[in-house]
Amino acid sequence: LAKTTQPISMDSYEGQEVNITCSHNNIATNDYITWYQQFPSQGPRFIIQGYKTKVTNEVASLFIPADRKSSTLSLPRVSLSDTAVYYCLVGDKDYKLSFGAGTTVTVRA
Amino acid sequence: EAGVAQSPRYKIIEKRQSVAFWCNPISGHATLYWYQQILGQGPKLLIQFQNNGVVDDSQLPKDRFSAERLKGVDSTLKIQPAKLEDSAVYLCASSLALSDPYGYTFGSGTRLTVV
């Protein structure tokens, strides 16, 4: 299983951009990088997925450098409701998503 | 579309008792997963089904945990007998296929407390 490393926590303020970097040095050629968001008392929710370069949707952007050994989730102009745990996952050869401890993002007013 | 349904929402049992959780995935989703999430940790995969067949159950404590997915739709996860360390949230997720580009959809989970 591809192992990921991400910061334990990050603090931010409303309106700022939050960038969470995840390291995945042993990512396999066919692996995708997926980010999930989890609020208390809820299951994780899919945010974005990418393979290389940049992916953008209505919620976030995902930047993946050419070597794919890391990726950065960018949350533009966060609000209090973006306070959550964010997980970086890398799909292994059997596509079993393995969750690490995640990054707790706290947005303050 | 309807999401992944799980029941019950909460369950409190004494150790050595048995408990069962139910999951109804999104219609048409062939792949179903059960995860265990202990407080403060990320979800841990217990078992993965593709239709009604088990793809991976390597992290399922088979001496006390069992799961089935009859007819490739609903699934149940059972613990018998329960231990204190089984206290966790049990999450069910589903996806269209093993390599679903749109990711997994999770239910809200069942919070189990073993006393």
Side-chain angles (χ1 to χ4, degrees):
Chain A
L1 298 177
K3 178 178 168 56
T4 60
T5 303
Q6 53 184 120
I8 294 174
S9 63
M10 297 181 71
D11 289 344
S12 183
Y13 291 92
E14 284 190 295
Q16 290 188 333
E17 178 182 80
V18 173
N19 296 307
I20 309 171
T21 297
C22 177
S23 298
H24 28 78
N25 292 321
N26 59 341
I27 188 170
T29 303
N30 295 327
D31 283 346
Y32 278 77
I33 300 153
T34 310
W35 285 81
Y36 281 79
Q37 174 192 55
Q38 187 176 26
F39 298 113
S41 302
Q42 294 186 26
R45 181 177 73 104
F46 173 87
I47 300 177
I48 197 166
Q49 184 179 74
Y51 182 79
K52 62 180 179 180
T53 63
K54 177 183 175 182
V55 179
T56 298
N57 61 23
E58 64 279 5
V59 176
S61 294
L62 178 59
F63 299 92
I64 305 169
D67 66 6
R68 304 200 328 123
K69 292 183 183 297
S70 67
S71 59
T72 299
L73 175 72
S74 180
L75 306 172
R77 298 178 297 282
V78 294
S79 63
L80 296 177
S81 61
D82 292 315
T83 294
V85 179
Y86 293 81
Y87 296 98
C88 165
L89 301 98
V90 175
D92 69 356
K93 63 179 176 64
D94 294 321
Y95 298 97
K96 297 188 295 287
L97 294 187
S98 300
F99 288 80
T103 298
T104 299
V105 172
T106 303
V107 180
R108 305 181 193 281
Chain B
E1 67 178 358
V4 175
Q6 290 189 247
S7 66
R9 191 77 173 89
Y10 304 94
K11 190 73 176 179
I12 301 175
I13 62 172
E14 295 182 350
K15 59 183 179 183
R16 290 187 290 275
Q17 285 188 325
S18 63
V19 64
F21 313 125
W22 174 81
C23 172
N24 180 234
I26 291 176
S27 177
H29 278 197
T31 312
L32 184 146
Y33 316 80
W34 282 101
Y35 281 83
Q36 177 194 58
Q37 186 170 26
I38 293 172
L39 186 64
Q41 299 181 19
K44 169 190 167 185
L45 179 65
L46 293 176
I47 189 167
Q48 177 183 9
F49 291 94
Q50 178 70 6
N51 295 311
N52 61 347
V54 176
V55 174
D56 179 33
D57 61 358
S58 58
Q59 298 193 82
L60 187 73
K62 299 181 187 61
D63 58 334
R64 297 184 300 106
F65 286 64
S66 65
E68 61 182 8
R69 189 183 184 198
L70 299 177
K71 300 180 182 179
V73 182
D74 293 5
S75 177
T76 56
L77 176 69
K78 297 179 181 178
I79 307 175
Q80 182 179 9
K83 293 184 176 181
L84 296 177
E85 57 261 38
D86 297 331
S87 293
V89 175
Y90 291 85
L91 294 161
C92 178
S94 69
S95 62
L96 279 170
L98 284 175
S99 55
D100 186 348
Y102 300 104
Y104 299 2
T105 302
F106 282 81
S108 295
T110 297
R111 181 177 297 278
L112 173 67
T113 302
V114 182
V115 298

